[in-house]
Amino acid sequence: MFSRLGKLFGGTASDTPRTSNMAHSDADILAALGSLIDPDTGKPYRKGLSLTCNDSSRLALSVTLPYPAQSRFAELRTLFTDALAPFADGRPVEVTVSSQITSHTAQRGVPLLPGVKNVIAVSSGKGGVGKSTTAANLALALAAEGARVGILDADIYGPSQPLMMGLQGQKPELVDGKLKPLLGHGLQTMSIGYLVDDDQAMVWRGPMVSQALQQLLNDTLWDNLDYLVIDMPPGTGDVQLTLSQKVPVTGAIVVTTPQDIALIDAKKGLKMFEKVGVPILGIVENMAMHVCSQCGHEEHIFGHGGADKMSAQYGVDVLGSLPLDLAIRLSTDEGKPTVVAEPDGKLAARYQQIARRVAVKVGEKARDFSSKMPKIVVQNN
C-alpha cells in the first residue's frame, strides 16, 4: 500500500498518518528522520522528505533538496538508509536523492527572465580583486553539482569570460532574431566579447552600456537555467543601477581582498545593493593568503581578517576564502578554470564549498510563484 503523505513540514506530515498492521507509521518514521542535520544548511531535514512506500514489501524514501548537491547524493543515500534500518523490519530499504531548484523572489515588480529561474550577480567595488575568475569558477562549481547554469559577462568595457571559457574568436548564432549562447565547459555563456574583435575598444557612454546589457540579457536564448551568474563590472555605476532596476536579481555576491583599500570599495558595493533592494548572499574573500608553489607555505600578504570585520559590521556572511595561487591564474589563462582543470583538487573544493553555500542561501529564500499565477484579462464586450 502506497502512502499518500506529502512533504513533512515542521516535523508533522501534511496528511493524516496512516495506521495499519505495520510496526511503524509514516509519521513516526518521518519524525525520526527529521532529526538528521543537513551539513550544508546546519538545519534538520524536515522539508523534502517523502515516504513513497511503507508496506510489507519494502520501505522507500524520497529526499528532495532545494539546492544542487550531486556530489553528496551517495553520502546522503547511505545516511538515510542507515537511519531507516531500525524501521525496516527485514524489508528492503530504498532511498532516492534528488535536487529540485525553483525560482525565488527578486526585486518587487521585476519579472523573471525567460528561461532563467535565478539570477546571481557577482560584484566588486573595484577592479583587480579576481571577481571574474571567482564568477567563472562558482558557475562551474554549481554546474558540477548538477545544476543548469549560465554565465553572462556584463563587463562591456573589459569582457574576460570568452578567454576564461576557452571561446575566444567564436561567434553566437542568430535564431529568430535571438542570440544562441555559446557552450563552454557545460555552461551557457554570453558576452559582448563574442560580438566584437578582441582589440576593439568599447568607447560608449553609460546609457549605451546599459542598453547593451539589457539586450544581452533579454535577447539571449537562455535554455532552462537554474542559475544565471552575472559577472558584473567593478564599481557602482550605470550597469549596476540597470541591473537593480531591470533585472530580477535573486541575490548578489561581493568579492573583495583582505586589504583595506579593497574593503572600502567593497563596502560601497554592498551598500549599493542594499539601497536598491537586492539581497546580499555573502562575501567572498579572494587572495586571502598566498600559497607558495614550491613548499605550500601560506602567507597573508594582503592582510588578514578583513572580510570577517566587514561581515560583523554589516551582518553579512563570509561565504569562503580563496588563496592567491599561481595555478588559478594559469588554468584561467588557458581557458580551463580551476574547477574544470583540477576538479578533484583542493582549490576546486574551495570553490565547490562556496557554491554550495550560495545555492543553499538561494534555496532558503521565498519562492517566486508569479509564473504559476493566472493572468487576468479585462475585455470590453
Side-chain angles (χ1 to χ4, degrees), residues 58-79:
R58 62 192 176 103
L59 180 58
L61 175 75
S62 173
V63 182
T64 306
L65 303 174
Y67 56 88
Q70 191 168 269
S71 64
R72 293 195 185 274
F73 283 0
E75 175 187 339
L76 291 178
R77 276 193 293 269
T78 300
L79 174 69

Side-chain angles (χ1 to χ4, degrees), residues 137-151:
N137 278 292
L138 291 184
L140 289 166
L142 288 169
E145 291 289 3
R148 292 179 63 87
V149 185
I151 187 166

Side-chain angles (χ1 to χ4, degrees), residues 130 133-134 137 163-164 286-287 290-291 293 323-339 341-342 347 351:
T133 301
T134 302
N137 278 292
L163 171 63
M164 293 185 178
N286 199 26
M287 308 182 199
H290 171 254
V291 180
S293 59
L324 177 62
D325 195 302
L326 179 61
I328 296 177
R329 198 272 298 172
L330 290 175
S331 60
T332 301
D333 286 351
E334 293 172 359
K336 293 182 178 180
T338 305
V339 173
E342 298 182 45
L347 293 174
Y351 285 113

Side-chain angles (χ1 to χ4, degrees), residues 247-260:
V247 182
V249 182
T250 313
I253 299 169
V254 177
V255 180
T256 185
T257 56
Q259 67 217 78
D260 290 341

Side-chain angles (χ1 to χ4, degrees), residues 69 91 184 226 348:
R91 295 172 292 166
D226 296 315

Side-chain angles (χ1 to χ4, degrees), residues 10-329:
T12 60
S14 57
D15 294 337
T16 302
R18 173 181 59 82
T19 57
S20 67
N21 57 358
M22 298 300 300
H24 306 282
S25 70
D26 292 355
D28 290 339
I29 298 172
L30 289 171
L33 297 179
S35 65
L36 297 175
I37 302 298
D38 183 341
D40 288 313
T41 66
K43 299 177 182 179
Y45 288 101
R46 290 184 175 178
K47 296 182 180 180
L49 303 184
S50 176
L51 279 171
T52 57
C53 184
N54 181 20
D55 60 19
S56 59
S57 64
R58 62 192 176 103
L59 180 58
L61 175 75
S62 173
V63 182
T64 306
L65 303 174
Y67 56 88
Q70 191 168 269
S71 64
R72 293 195 185 274
F73 283 0
E75 175 187 339
L76 291 178
R77 276 193 293 269
T78 300
L79 174 69
F80 281 97
T81 299
D82 292 343
L84 286 171
F87 304 97
D89 300 320
R91 295 172 292 166
V93 174
E94 299 175 7
V95 176
T96 59
V97 183
S98 62
S99 295
Q100 184 177 22
I101 303 165
T102 59
S103 300
H104 295 271
T105 54
Q107 308 96 302
R108 187 172 299 176
V110 181
L112 295 177
L113 287 172
V116 179
K117 294 178 182 177
N118 301 286
V119 175
I120 300 172
V122 180
S123 181
S124 65
K126 67 188 300 294
V129 299
K131 166 189 54 62
S132 294
T133 301
T134 302
N137 278 292
L138 291 184
L140 289 166
L142 288 169
E145 291 289 3
R148 292 179 63 87
V149 185
I151 187 166
L152 172 71
D153 191 347
D155 194 345
I156 304 299
Y157 295 124
S160 54
Q161 292 302 331
L163 171 63
M164 293 185 178
M165 291 293 128
L167 296 172
Q168 273 188 307
Q170 297 195 34
K171 304 292 183 184
E173 296 179 23
L174 272 176
V175 179
D176 297 328
K178 298 277 189 177
L179 293 168
K180 186 177 180 180
L182 294 177
L183 294 179
H185 307 301
L187 301 182
Q188 299 177 38
T189 75
M190 183 51 61
S191 170
I192 193 71
Y194 298 144
L195 307 176
V196 299
D197 294 334
D198 291 343
D199 58 353
Q200 181 176 342
M202 308 304 293
V203 189
W204 289 354
R205 294 190 183 274
M208 293 181 65
V209 173
S210 297
Q211 184 178 2
L213 171 63
Q214 293 182 66
Q215 287 185 309
L216 288 175
L217 275 167
N218 298 311
D219 292 345
T220 299
L221 291 171
W222 304 113
D223 184 12
N224 191 28
L225 294 180
D226 296 315
Y227 305 100
L228 174 62
V229 176
I230 300 184
D231 177 14
M232 298 291 295
T236 56
D238 291 305
V239 171
Q240 285 78 7
L241 288 175
T242 298
L243 186 86
S244 63
Q245 295 170 352
K246 304 291 185 181
V247 182
V249 182
T250 313
I253 299 169
V254 177
V255 180
T256 185
T257 56
Q259 67 217 78
D260 290 341
I261 191 67
L263 289 167
I264 290 172
D265 292 327
K267 292 173 183 178
K268 293 177 182 177
L270 188 149
K271 296 300 291 184
M272 179 207 67
F273 282 121
E274 287 184 348
K275 286 183 178 180
V276 297
V278 174
I280 304 296
L281 299 175
I283 304 166
V284 173
E285 189 177 51
N286 199 26
M287 308 182 199
M289 76 290 291
H290 171 254
V291 180
C292 177
S293 59
Q294 299 298 317
C295 67
H297 174 69
E298 293 186 1
E299 186 175 11
H300 299 277
I301 60 175
F302 291 131
H304 179 64
D308 290 332
K309 293 177 184 177
M310 184 174 168
S311 169
Q313 182 177 357
Y314 294 99
V316 178
D317 291 339
V318 177
L319 298 170
S321 296
L322 297 163
L324 177 62
D325 195 302
L326 179 61
I328 296 177
R329 198 272 298 172

